[in-house]
Amino acid sequence: MPPQNEGPLPSQTGPASRDGSPTSFAAFLAVALVVAVTFAARGDGPIVGEDGFRAMITDAVARMHVAMDVPFRGDPDRDFARMMIPHHQGAIDMALVELRYGKDERLKRLAQEIIVDQQQEIAVMHLALGDTLPRGTPAPTQVPPASGGHHEQ
């Protein structure tokens, strides 16, 4: 008989995970990458250029996968929305990385459109879940403009 799982340890947060599961590894990876990216943003780390892009994209994907691992509750609409919100947030996070590191103006414009579209869809899903939307919350798209560039609205 397999050993009984007595639930998550008090130090765990989020959905219960199994020892050695991809979710546990992804959570560890996400935390490690957040720390690395935080130090790099402060100028204390070597993450620049291609390495910075790779680290930030990897972090966004890891956070998305961890957040999408929600327990099913038997309501397909609610389960769908609860999984898709972090999926869309992951798309926003990756688009922000493209805006920071990308050079192709077509892809940067597409990244801007992804951000706007995904934010609107996240709002719809929150409303479908009965969540109230916070007022006056700054959008994550408020990134500093590129030096010397003009941004059309």
Side-chain angles (χ1 to χ4, degrees):
M1 175 182 275
Q4 294 290 328
N5 183 356
E6 296 183 20
L9 299 174
S11 63
Q12 289 179 325
T13 59
S17 60
R18 298 163 302 279
D19 289 342
S21 73
T23 301
S24 297
F25 178 73
F28 172 76
L29 180 63
V31 170
L33 288 172
V34 166
V35 170
V37 170
T38 299
F39 279 110
R42 291 182 22 211
D44 295 341
I47 300 177
V48 294
E50 180 64 29
D51 289 338
F53 173 81
R54 184 178 304 132
M56 291 182 78
I57 284 289
T58 301
D59 176 52
V61 170
R63 282 185 284 116
M64 176 185 70
H65 285 161
V66 169
M68 286 177 62
D69 187 20
V70 299
F72 290 99
R73 295 191 175 153
D75 180 339
D77 294 329
R78 294 183 68 76
D79 291 343
F80 170 78
R82 290 174 47 244
M83 291 179 71
M84 288 303 290
I85 289 170
H87 184 266
H88 280 38
Q89 184 61 53
I92 291 169
D93 294 344
M94 287 182 267
L96 288 169
V97 177
E98 169 61 19
L99 291 177
R100 180 172 179 177
Y101 290 98
K103 305 279 188 272
D104 187 322
E105 290 302 319
R106 297 168 298 180
L107 293 177
K108 290 175 76 170
R109 178 66 184 163
L110 177 64
Q112 290 172 334
E113 292 172 11
I114 287 170
I115 291 166
V116 170
D117 292 344
Q118 300 298 296
Q119 285 178 325
Q120 291 170 349
E121 292 175 13
I122 287 172
V124 169
M125 288 183 279
H126 275 299
L127 292 172
L129 290 170
D131 299 339
T132 56
L133 300 179
R135 293 187 146 178
T137 304
T141 57
Q142 295 176 340
V143 294
S147 60
H150 172 72
H151 287 45
E152 294 182 17
Q153 297 295 339

